[in-house]
Amino acid sequence: MNGIDGSADAEDANEQEVIVIQDTGFTVKIQAPGTEPFDLQVSPQEMVQEIHQVLMDREDTCHRTCFSLQLDGNVLDNFAELKSIEGLQEGSLLKVVEEPYTVREARIHVRHIRDLLKSLDPSDAYNGVDCNSLSFLSVFTDGDLGDTGKRKKKGNELEQIDCTPPEHILPGSKEHPLVPLQPQNKDWKPMQCLKVLTMSGWNPPPGNRKMHGDLMYLYIVTVEDRHVSITASTRGFYLNQSTTYTFNPKPANPSFLSHSLVELLSQISAAFKKNFTALQKKRVQRHPFERIATPFQVYSWTAPQSDHAMDCVRAEDAYTSRLGYEEHIPGQTRDWNEELQTTRELSRKNLPERLLRERAIFKVHSDFAAAATRGAMAVIDGNVMAINPGEETRMQMFIWNNIFFSLGFDVRDHYRELGGDAAAHAAPTNDLNGVRAYSAVDVEGLYTLGTVVVDYRGYRVTAQSIIPGILEREQEQSVIYGSIDFGKTVVSHPKYLELLEKTSRPLKVQHHAVLNEKDTAVELCSSVECKGIIGNDGRHYILDLLRTFPPDLNFLPVEGEELAPESQKLGFPRQHRHRLACLRQELIEAFVEHRYLLFMKMAALQLMQQKANKDKTAALHDTSTADAESESKPQALEASEKVPDGMPTSPTSSESTLTPDDSEATSEKSAPENQEAPADLKSANTNGTHESSAAEKQNGGCDSLLKGKEADENIPGLAQAKELAESLAAEDGSGIDPKSREVVLNACKAVGSISNTSFDIRFNPDIFSPGVHFPDDSTDDIQKQKQLLKDTAAFLVSCQIPSFVKDCLDHSSLPMDGATMTEALHQRGINVRYLGTVLEFVDNMPAKAQIEHIYRIGISELITRCAKHIFKTYLQGVELSALSAAVSHFLNCLLSSFPDAVAHLPADELVSRRKSRKRRNRVPGGGDNTTWASLTPSELWKNINSEAQSYYHFSLQCESVDQAVEKYGLQKITLLREISLKTGVQILIKEYNFDSRHKPAFTEEDILNIFPVVKHVNPKASDAFHFFQSGQAKVQQGFLKEGCELINEALNLFNNVYGAMHVEICACLRLLARLNYIMGDHPEALSNQQKAVLMSERVLGIEHPNTIQEYMHLALYCFANGHLSTALKLLYRARYLMLVVCGEDHPEMALLDSNIGLVLHGVMEYDLSLRFLENALAINSKYHGPRSLKVALSHHLVARVYESKAEFRSALQHEKEGYTIYKNQVGEAHEKTKESSEYLKYLTQQAVALQRTMNEIYKNGSNASIMPLKFTAPSMASVLEQLNIINGIIFIPLSQKDLENLKAEVQRRQLMQNSGKIEEQQAGQLELDDKLPVDD
């Protein structure tokens, strides 16, 4: 909908910014029956259909669905672009002409009317259907924050602010209620327009009535209790004379024939007319982001008790295999495979083509994910017939809506050697990761299957699109590449090798040979399980990508193989449930980047050495320095320094002669052939795609890497080494003298490169696969590969885990809940199976107190994951009728203090035990229906302990939930949220008494639903992402305006690919808002941040940590715009959400409380303000150490409030603390220290003045002449200034000149950095002044 309405809805104009790449738009006039003509802004690339959408959404035309648009009497084609229509120009008049109905149009009309009636009803969001999800922002902002309507009372709002937060939000409160999570939205009080609207039982019309134009019959009960029967005919809707029991299709008198159902109902029911109009007014007032569908379904883990109303469309949807408007698509069901593959084949030569392609790919993927989820649930609920119905349930396979479904069990002992059912459970997610990796590389001509993994009711279902023709053939015949029996028989195919060769470099997969059953070598460029099948459509498909990435040796004990000491020290290798544990792509990228750095350093050291020897300086002295240098490498590097035996680390070949001039000459020679430059010199690109040309990468890549963390001890000779490496890579080393080639050869060997002339690390994914044999001539290579895998495993534990913990220590990574912690681990390439190891590492840190929050989140994640593993098998034994009783019993055992939770076997609503025995085990959810009832709390916790030990190798030692809460400082409400999110359980929102020892917390009535947990591919908008990144880079260099333009452009492209709602658009809007704010455009910042909050609520969830952060940003911009009470409400909401998600003891809480305290100080609520600021001070001292600058700032904020209260002694005490910290940390001369000392003087004067006055009063009693003391409420400007400081926003109102200076300064620094002249001490100086985090 990229139309912008004219006069009537001016305020909607700026909301409909879902505009495709800019093009000069123009305005047309629209004339609909019964309304005044109005103006509509359109753009030339729009289709006529999009004008239809706008009209169906507008308040005054929303009830029309069956019409055509006509220009001068000619009907416009729905699918034509506006620019292709002759005579359509600025100011043309388009007429809306009512068209005759067909059955299809009548159905669409009824469905649309039903959608309008339900438009404010949140039940679809609670039930997790049609991509609806919840949003509560408008409850706290009283509607829209824009300049519309609500905000007339500008100026001083102080009088009418009520600042007292609810009791449970105050610092130190022990109660954590659940009900406020979903505040009452007054808009949702349903305005009833009709009691019933449903299909009549007289459908379909008999033949003779069909010939009178009857299409279908509706049955309606109005609010006034009038029962009517309505005919939908080709001419419109009218009342007929049928009743519930007699059929009389003749028109009633009067029949009220109307083209739209709304017009008919408005004539027969006054209440309908009044309420429908009011409802549509409210509907169009809502922010579009509250009602646009999200791309993937988001489920809510809590919901209120809702009334189940009659709804004909919902009822009809449930029994047809439709998805959205499917039945209106010619050809009925969709051929998913064809759609997924054709979108991939679209052309991608230029930007518009790529956008079109990415948009199509994204759309099909999100539709496919929705269809697959729906199908998977139908399969587990037993509503789909198996294609092999004779076999036992766990072996059955299903096809529904052109999607193939299989269950995650080890069928026919396929995975017997790899770990049986545990392997069969892990394989689908590994396979999905493989599909993600290959689709990100996006090689033309290589196809993967649409893949979605759904966990539902304890079962794992894999949904895949179907390769054309595969069902007619035996698998043995169709596989022409790879192996169907884990390597016993293997085949290969030249076309596949050619295609996979293109993925080899970005995915770091080594081309290798394996032996087949006849002991002949077969060439592969993937793991053996990866199968290649040519479909009947002639496309080359690859499937079973579960071993795309190499195995994780820390969890794969192999006889006769020793791991690196770093791994052994931590007790690896450990036995794992299955043998499919593999490394993450992020880890491979990080390892290769780390090795590249090492490679450069080694080459540099050797070159230095050669140069020194050549200069005939004392050779002895020189080698010793080189050795010293190699020893002084960071310890992290030592882990991977496994240099092959008999090879000196820094070869001391004295005859080497490579002068800088030589190397320059050679690199000049090599310029023309630069085309083959290896892309592996690039910095590890996150998605593993390789779009920019290799030559660019070479330069860009190295620079960015060498600027990387470890390049701080600027090794002389690095530049030379780099040049050498580049020239070697560019030509086959022919023009380079042998000595330098030796340098590179040695460095290559040392880092395990597969090539001897350039840096190139790739992995052979088949190493250590049981059943795979390699030819004899590759023994050396295999040894090298094994070593590489051991090094990578060691790198994970000795380098990545410590650096994750370091990130947490310096707060550059701030996980708040299980999901954000998992994400942070994954970014470092650490699998969650290392959680126990990470927790032990944290536990043994000297600074453990400063990352206690990480330990706590980790423990709660570990407990809930163990509980999830147990819950999975527990649910498989529960029959459908006992599901809510079983789930509530499990939650009682897990969370309730009630010691003997007894399951209430449902006193079955319909008791008939005799029959049910016979047809057990037909649906997967058959199971023996009572074993689950025997679970006890102590048994469940015993199982959780043993699961923690066996899976995570971590000893919890908790016999009950209360012990766990006590020992690790957890909150039951947080555990409840985590387990509900992980298992898909939805519970009733009410206050649960977890701690009662007399009755269990949950009853079966509290379990409302169980949702699927869905994993799928997330297609990316690559161009938009590049714009976004370059925008971020510009901003970091201080070019705000340019950055802002790039990010706006990125936003446009994102909208173009993803539609209006997406996580990445959310990040884009947040950054834009921050830039608007820094550049002084506060209203614009507010508008963008409001969108970011709405989107985060809708796409990530109402209490996702990201949403909490967005609320905090929005509060700041509200304050800057003078909406004080709104700012407070938003901060209180953020604090409540944070209490639920992670509790009070978290470093981020200090920032939140400082914000709240400052705003309260601004509105003169001093005592409240102190409670929050003192809490912030305590948390800051705990997490940043008592000597941190953050703590100094906290002391200063507290001192200011005491000053306002005229309690100067306390103020002085705090300011002195702050002053001491500044003096010790940044020295006397620093401006912060000076400011603090000035403020101390001022406080002392005030204190003295106050004391004088008091003495005067004591001495002279009532007739004392008192000097009026200055008690000032802080100015809003000063509060805002402090808010900016604590939120990391530094330069606020900068003049243009300041901005120029800043840019010049930044550029000067960059130049210096590039030439490597910045000395240590200066770098230290920068650390402090220069934290200008533009986005935190």
Side-chain angles (χ1 to χ4, degrees):
M1 306 181 330
N2 43 359
I4 292 183
D5 306 11
S7 52
D9 298 352
E11 64 252 24
D12 277 13
N14 41 3
E15 295 176 355
Q16 310 236 314
E17 283 171 353
V18 198
I19 296 184
V20 187
I21 300 184
Q22 267 76 5
D23 201 324
T24 44
F26 57 95
T27 312
V28 292
K29 271 204 176 345
I30 306 263
Q31 163 83 66
T35 58
E36 292 294 302
F38 57 88
D39 288 339
L40 185 67
Q41 175 95 28
V42 293
S43 92
Q45 309 60 2
E46 268 180 62
M47 292 209 267
V48 176
Q49 194 174 4
E50 295 179 58
I51 300 185
H52 273 252
Q53 288 309 130
V54 173
L55 294 178
M56 281 164 67
D57 199 57
R58 263 183 72 98
E59 194 182 336
D60 48 1
T61 54
C62 64
H63 57 275
R64 305 184 176 282
T65 60
C66 184
F67 58 86
S68 62
L69 290 168
Q70 301 190 358
L71 175 65
D72 310 328
N74 299 322
V75 178
L76 304 186
D77 167 20
N78 254 346
F79 295 101
E81 290 193 345
L82 297 186
K83 57 177 178 230
S84 65
I85 297 169
E86 275 182 49
L88 184 64
Q89 60 208 32
E90 178 73 36
S92 295
L93 179 70
L94 292 179
K95 281 210 168 101
V96 174
V97 180
E98 297 172 346
E99 292 290 332
Y101 282 97
T102 58
V103 175
R104 173 173 173 261
E105 285 290 351
R107 276 170 180 270
I108 289 178
H109 187 76
V110 173
R111 172 178 291 271
H112 180 65
I113 301 306
R114 170 265 197 173
D115 287 346
L116 291 176
L117 292 176
K118 279 187 64 175
S119 55
L120 293 181
D121 173 13
S123 61
D124 278 356
Y126 287 123
N127 296 329
V129 291
D130 291 344
C131 288
N132 283 312
S133 56
L134 298 166
S135 161
F136 289 102
L137 176 63
S138 55
V139 178
F140 301 97
T141 56
D142 300 327
D144 195 359
L145 281 170
D147 32 16
T148 51
K150 302 270 193 306
R151 292 258 163 243
K152 292 294 175 278
K153 48 176 196 298
K154 274 283 186 315
N156 194 353
E157 291 192 15
L158 288 181
E159 309 78 75
Q160 66 266 37
I161 296 184
D162 173 24
C163 306
T164 348
E167 198 58 35
H168 60 261
I169 289 178
L170 289 172
S173 162
K174 282 284 166 275
E175 52 177 286
H176 298 299
L178 185 57
V179 172
L181 183 60
Q182 298 184 352
Q184 281 302 303
N185 190 334
K186 48 185 187 306
D187 279 356
W188 290 351
K189 295 273 181 297
M191 287 182 285
Q192 208 182 16
C193 298
L194 290 173
K195 283 191 176 166
V196 178
L197 156 64
T198 172
M199 297 293 171
S200 154
W202 298 117
N203 280 320
N208 64 329
R209 288 310 303 170
K210 243 179 165 163
M211 298 170 78
H212 282 86
D214 291 9
L215 302 171
M216 62 181 183
Y217 305 119
L218 304 172
Y219 172 66
I220 286 178
V221 182
T222 66
V223 178
E224 297 90 346
D225 241 356
R226 180 174 172 194
H227 295 236
V228 293
S229 189
I230 292 180
T231 301
S233 75
T234 48
R235 295 168 50 206
F237 296 81
Y238 61 82
L239 298 190
N240 61 36
Q241 297 176 31
S242 301
T243 62
T244 320
Y245 303 113
T246 55
F247 179 59
N248 180 356
K250 295 273 190 296
N253 188 11
S255 73
F256 298 111
L257 171 67
S258 319
H259 191 263
S260 131
L261 188 54
V262 172
E263 291 168 353
L264 167 65
L265 294 170
S266 301
Q267 293 177 67
I268 62 170
S269 158
F272 177 86
K273 185 173 184 176
K274 174 168 155 262
N275 288 347
F276 186 79
T277 320
L279 186 71
Q280 295 324 307
K281 269 215 167 24
K282 266 196 177 153
R283 181 180 65 88
V284 295
Q285 274 167 8
R286 290 176 70 195
H287 196 287
F289 283 4
E290 291 181 70
R291 49 203 179 94
I292 297 172
T294 59
F296 299 104
Q297 185 65 57
V298 176
Y299 299 101
S300 165
W301 63 279
T302 49
Q305 199 68 58
S306 64
D307 307 323
H308 191 61
M310 238 188 201
D311 181 339
C312 61
V313 179
R314 185 189 62 217
E316 183 192 25
D317 282 1
Y319 295 112
T320 52
S321 65
R322 282 183 35 272
L323 292 139
Y325 282 129
E326 245 73 312
E327 78 219 297
H328 316 310
I329 291 177
Q332 300 301 309
T333 53
R334 293 170 69 167
D335 181 344
W336 292 110
N337 190 66
E338 190 53 35
E339 288 191 43
L340 287 161
Q341 313 310 349
T342 355
T343 49
R344 286 240 170 244
E345 286 165 350
L346 292 171
S347 163
R348 41 176 149 174
K349 294 190 193 64
N350 50 31
L351 184 66
E353 281 186 356
R354 280 199 300 275
L355 288 175
L356 200 69
R357 174 173 182 267
E358 284 175 348
R359 183 183 190 169
I361 290 175
F362 184 74
K363 181 80 186 93
V364 175
H365 267 284
S366 68
D367 288 356
F368 178 70
T373 306
R374 192 170 162 176
M377 292 167 72
V379 163
I380 297 301
D381 290 337
N383 304 338
V384 181
M385 175 85 174
I387 49 179
N388 49 348
E391 313 215 21
E392 60 163 313
T393 23
R394 38 187 293 142
M395 299 180 66
Q396 293 180 349
M397 293 173 278
F398 306 83
I399 288 180
W400 177 88
N401 198 350
N402 279 329
I403 306 174
F404 174 77
F405 297 93
S406 52
L407 301 173
F409 294 116
D410 184 11
V411 182
R412 305 194 184 80
D413 286 344
H414 187 59
Y415 291 107
R416 193 176 60 207
E417 294 169 14
L418 297 167
D421 278 349
H425 189 79
T429 41
N430 279 5
D431 181 34
L432 179 64
N433 284 332
V435 172
R436 282 178 180 148
Y438 277 102
S439 19
V441 178
D442 211 4
V443 168
E444 244 172 285
L446 188 63
Y447 297 90
T448 52
L449 302 183
T451 307
V452 173
V453 178
V454 180
D455 288 302
Y456 176 61
R457 283 182 46 194
Y459 294 92
R460 173 159 283 181
V461 186
T462 309
Q464 290 171 310
S465 61
I466 300 169
I467 298 179
I470 187 154
L471 297 171
E472 294 95 79
R473 313 180 269 190
E474 273 302 304
Q475 201 182 11
E476 284 75 32
Q477 304 160 4
S478 17
V479 173
I480 58 163
Y481 172 89
S483 161
I484 55 169
D485 46 20
F486 292 105
K488 296 183 184 64
T489 54
V490 194
V491 285
S492 188
H493 188 277
K495 180 66 180 166
Y496 272 103
L497 284 175
E498 176 199 330
L499 289 167
L500 287 167
E501 194 62 60
K502 296 179 186 161
T503 64
S504 152
R505 175 160 275 147
L507 296 181
K508 318 275 183 287
V509 177
Q510 191 191 5
H511 191 115
H512 61 279
V514 300
L515 296 176
N516 64 9
E517 71 285 10
K518 304 193 188 68
D519 279 347
T520 44
V522 177
E523 290 289 313
L524 293 178
C525 195
S526 65
S527 68
V528 286
E529 298 81 12
C530 168
K531 304 172 189 36
I533 296 182
I534 299 184
N536 285 356
D537 51 4
R539 294 190 178 106
H540 291 76
Y541 292 93
I542 49 169
L543 55 158
D544 287 350
L545 307 173
L546 55 149
R547 286 196 193 241
T548 303
F549 299 109
D552 180 353
L553 294 194
N554 287 333
F555 284 93
L556 188 71
V558 180
E559 278 190 25
E561 294 288 346
E562 286 268 305
L563 286 187
E566 294 85 357
S567 295
Q568 288 185 3
K569 197 165 68 211
L570 292 165
F572 292 108
R574 293 180 176 163
Q575 205 56 53
H576 198 52
R577 297 267 151 98
H578 53 78
R579 302 179 61 92
L580 290 178
C582 56
L583 300 166
R584 296 186 63 85
Q585 187 170 13
E586 297 93 333
L587 182 81
I588 301 294
E589 302 278 356
F591 176 73
V592 171
E593 185 168 334
H594 165 90
R595 278 288 162 106
Y596 177 66
L597 228 93
L598 196 62
F599 168 78
M600 281 308 192
K601 284 183 177 167
M602 300 201 64
L605 285 172
Q606 294 177 48
L607 284 171
M608 287 300 296
Q609 214 160 4
Q610 293 181 353
K611 189 166 183 295
N613 292 353
K614 182 182 167 236
D615 292 350
K616 296 281 184 291
T617 35
L620 264 173
H621 161 77
D622 187 51
T623 40
S624 62
T625 52
D627 287 343
E629 284 224 27
S630 62
E631 274 158 34
S632 71
K633 272 178 228 168
Q635 293 96 26
L637 297 186
E638 288 168 16
S640 32
E641 216 95 305
K642 297 284 152 289
V643 181
D645 307 327
M647 206 210 94
T649 319
S650 39
T652 49
S653 42
S654 49
E655 320 83 24
S656 269
T657 54
L658 177 72
T659 58
D661 324 6
D662 288 359
S663 70
E664 271 166 35
T666 48
S667 64
E668 270 167 37
K669 259 185 281 178
S670 67
E673 293 100 324
N674 232 351
Q675 270 52 49
E676 279 98 345
D680 47 48
L681 290 179
K682 67 179 184 143
S683 60
N685 180 343
T686 36
N687 335 14
T689 46
H690 48 263
E691 270 123 9
S692 46
S693 78
E696 253 172 60
K697 283 269 159 64
Q698 247 187 350
N699 316 331
C702 313
D703 290 354
S704 61
L705 277 179
L706 295 175
K707 273 188 225 140
K709 294 195 183 62
E710 282 129 68
D712 32 10
E713 64 283 53
N714 219 309
I715 301 181
L718 258 182
Q720 238 173 310
K722 199 170 83 178
E723 226 161 282
L724 172 64
E726 286 176 19
S727 48
L728 266 174
E731 42 172 280
D732 306 321
S734 43
I736 292 188
D737 81 291
K739 291 293 171 276
S740 352
R741 194 174 304 132
E742 185 190 357
V743 166
V744 173
L745 173 71
N746 289 335
C748 280
K749 271 194 188 154
V751 298
S753 165
I754 59 169
S755 139
N756 282 336
T757 53
S758 69
F759 175 83
D760 188 357
I761 287 187
R762 303 186 199 189
F763 293 86
N764 175 343
D766 284 331
I767 303 277
F768 299 126
S769 290
V772 176
H773 305 288
F774 299 103
D776 297 339
D777 57 0
S778 57
T779 326
D780 276 2
D781 194 38
I782 300 302
Q783 257 337 99
K784 256 178 151 176
Q785 281 292 337
K786 287 183 176 176
Q787 190 53 51
L788 202 56
L789 283 180
K790 291 175 190 175
D791 291 351
T792 317
F795 171 73
L796 196 157
V797 290
S798 65
C799 203
Q800 293 304 84
I801 291 181
S803 62
F804 163 75
V805 176
K806 182 182 163 301
D807 281 352
C808 295
L809 250 179
D810 59 25
H811 302 287
S812 54
S813 166
L814 263 181
M816 259 189 229
D817 66 346
T820 39
M821 177 153 179
T822 306
E823 203 177 307
L825 286 168
H826 283 171
Q827 276 169 356
R828 286 251 169 228
I830 304 166
N831 312 67
V832 179
R833 58 175 170 269
Y834 284 96
L835 188 55
T837 314
V838 173
L839 287 172
E840 269 168 21
F841 188 87
V842 171
D843 203 16
N844 298 327
M845 297 264 304
K848 185 193 169 186
Q850 294 191 22
I851 39 175
E852 201 182 301
H853 62 292
I854 298 295
Y855 192 67
R856 193 177 328 104
I857 294 168
I859 291 282
S860 95
E861 180 70 352
L862 189 131
I863 291 176
T864 45
R865 276 178 183 260
C866 292
K868 178 186 77 172
H869 296 170
I870 297 163
F871 185 67
K872 189 181 77 202
T873 41
Y874 170 88
L875 267 194
Q876 289 176 8
V878 178
E879 64 171 28
L880 196 48
S881 63
L883 208 52
S884 54
V887 174
S888 64
H889 178 57
F890 184 89
L891 289 177
N892 281 328
C893 293
L894 180 67
L895 297 170
S896 177
S897 305
F898 182 55
D900 30 58
V902 185
H904 298 286
L905 273 176
D908 195 353
E909 295 169 14
L910 317 155
V911 185
S912 155
R913 281 274 165 265
R914 215 181 46 234
K915 278 193 202 133
S916 66
R917 288 279 74 107
K918 288 200 197 89
R919 41 177 315 278
R920 229 180 68 208
N921 258 354
R922 280 323 299 151
V923 296
D928 168 14
N929 50 2
T930 52
T931 39
W932 59 266
S934 57
L935 184 71
T936 64
S938 60
E939 185 194 346
L940 175 59
W941 277 90
K942 199 149 74 230
N943 292 344
I944 288 177
N945 278 303
S946 64
E947 180 71 11
Q949 190 56 56
S950 70
Y951 195 90
Y952 296 108
H953 301 270
F954 187 83
S955 69
L956 270 176
Q957 295 167 327
C958 299
E959 285 163 27
S960 69
V961 65
D962 294 321
Q963 215 178 331
V965 165
E966 187 57 37
K967 182 171 173 182
Y968 297 110
L970 308 175
Q971 301 185 133
K972 289 187 178 180
I973 190 166
T974 306
L975 289 171
L976 175 63
R977 171 178 179 266
E978 294 283 356
I979 190 77
S980 305
L981 290 174
K982 287 180 178 53
T983 53
V985 171
Q986 186 185 52
I987 58 168
L988 178 64
I989 187 160
K990 67 172 205 191
E991 298 316 340
Y992 290 97
N993 182 0
F994 296 110
D995 299 329
S996 157
R997 305 195 62 80
H998 309 296
K999 62 179 218 288
F1002 299 90
T1003 68
E1004 53 183 287
E1005 298 304 314
D1006 297 329
I1007 310 299
L1008 299 181
N1009 209 337
I1010 190 157
F1011 290 124
V1013 176
V1014 185
K1015 301 181 176 68
H1016 51 78
V1017 179
N1018 282 311
K1020 289 274 172 272
S1022 51
D1023 288 292
F1025 192 64
H1026 290 313
F1027 271 104
F1028 184 61
Q1029 281 181 316
S1030 20
Q1032 275 179 314
K1034 278 271 185 259
V1035 169
Q1036 251 125 35
Q1037 296 161 8
F1039 299 101
L1040 298 186
K1041 214 163 158 41
E1042 292 89 329
C1044 211
E1045 281 164 12
L1046 282 166
I1047 286 163
N1048 262 314
E1049 191 49 48
L1051 183 62
N1052 257 321
L1053 302 183
F1054 276 137
N1055 275 330
N1056 210 10
V1057 173
Y1058 296 142
M1061 282 269 151
H1062 196 274
V1063 188
E1064 286 171 23
I1065 300 181
C1066 189
C1068 213
L1069 285 165
R1070 177 201 316 164
L1071 186 51
L1072 259 184
R1074 206 169 167 96
L1075 288 175
N1076 296 139
Y1077 184 68
I1078 289 171
M1079 287 158 46
D1081 187 349
H1082 294 177
E1084 188 59 21
L1086 189 61
S1087 145
N1088 279 326
Q1089 187 59 31
Q1090 181 188 9
K1091 290 181 197 162
V1093 175
L1094 285 169
M1095 199 171 297
S1096 185
E1097 287 193 304
R1098 293 283 320 280
V1099 180
L1100 292 168
I1102 54 171
E1103 83 292 14
H1104 189 280
N1106 196 64
T1107 309
I1108 300 177
Q1109 304 251 317
E1110 304 295 8
Y1111 263 98
M1112 286 164 66
H1113 294 312
L1114 184 62
L1116 172 63
Y1117 308 151
C1118 273
F1119 187 90
N1121 277 292
H1123 306 328
L1124 273 61
S1125 58
T1126 307
L1128 259 180
K1129 278 190 210 158
L1130 294 170
L1131 287 169
Y1132 287 155
R1133 170 69 171 170
R1135 191 172 209 276
Y1136 166 73
L1137 293 176
M1138 202 155 153
L1139 288 171
V1140 171
V1141 168
C1142 64
E1144 193 162 56
D1145 188 11
H1146 189 283
E1148 198 58 0
M1149 193 55 99
L1151 175 60
L1152 186 46
D1153 282 354
S1154 306
N1155 273 302
I1156 296 176
L1158 274 168
V1159 177
L1160 287 169
H1161 185 196
V1163 296
M1164 307 199 297
E1165 290 275 351
Y1166 302 135
D1167 292 332
L1168 256 184
S1169 169
L1170 275 177
R1171 287 187 70 172
F1172 285 101
L1173 288 174
E1174 286 178 331
N1175 191 48
L1177 173 61
I1179 295 178
N1180 272 333
S1181 312
K1182 172 175 176 180
Y1183 284 108
H1184 294 274
R1187 312 257 54 93
S1188 128
L1189 297 180
K1190 272 201 164 50
V1191 176
L1193 183 56
S1194 264
H1195 277 299
H1196 174 63
L1197 297 179
V1198 174
R1200 286 178 34 146
V1201 184
Y1202 276 123
E1203 179 213 341
S1204 300
K1205 288 182 70 176
E1207 293 179 21
F1208 294 112
R1209 180 169 299 157
S1210 307
L1212 276 165
Q1213 202 180 335
H1214 279 287
E1215 192 55 44
K1216 273 189 191 128
E1217 291 274 340
Y1219 174 72
T1220 320
I1221 297 177
Y1222 282 131
K1223 197 173 76 181
N1224 295 339
Q1225 296 289 348
V1226 294
E1228 295 274 4
H1230 195 278
E1231 59 175 315
K1232 282 279 178 211
T1233 322
K1234 287 181 186 154
E1235 273 173 29
S1236 181
S1237 123
E1238 287 297 309
Y1239 187 55
L1240 276 173
K1241 280 183 200 145
Y1242 165 73
L1243 284 176
T1244 317
Q1245 288 163 2
Q1246 289 288 317
V1248 171
L1250 179 69
Q1251 199 52 50
R1252 271 201 207 116
T1253 313
M1254 299 308 281
N1255 295 348
E1256 177 82 9
I1257 293 175
Y1258 287 134
K1259 209 164 60 196
N1260 301 345
S1262 55
N1263 53 5
S1265 57
I1266 302 174
M1267 288 278 297
L1269 274 176
K1270 294 203 293 282
F1271 288 137
T1272 49
S1275 71
M1276 286 304 145
S1278 76
V1279 174
L1280 187 59
E1281 185 187 352
Q1282 295 297 333
L1283 278 171
N1284 290 328
I1285 292 173
I1286 62 172
N1287 287 296
I1289 293 177
I1290 308 287
F1291 39 108
I1292 289 297
L1294 287 186
S1295 66
Q1296 203 41 47
K1297 192 161 142 248
D1298 294 340
L1299 270 174
E1300 296 306 321
N1301 294 349
L1302 183 81
K1303 274 188 208 166
E1305 175 64 8
V1306 170
Q1307 280 167 314
R1308 187 175 66 81
R1309 277 194 196 148
Q1310 273 177 326
L1311 283 172
M1312 285 174 69
Q1313 262 166 341
N1314 292 351
S1315 54
K1317 289 204 187 90
I1318 288 190
E1319 273 76 56
E1320 277 304 306
Q1321 109 282 308
Q1322 194 177 351
Q1325 186 75 47
L1326 289 180
E1327 283 298 293
L1328 294 169
D1329 333 336
D1330 234 49
K1331 288 274 174 15
L1332 299 188
V1334 177
D1335 192 13
D1336 42 27

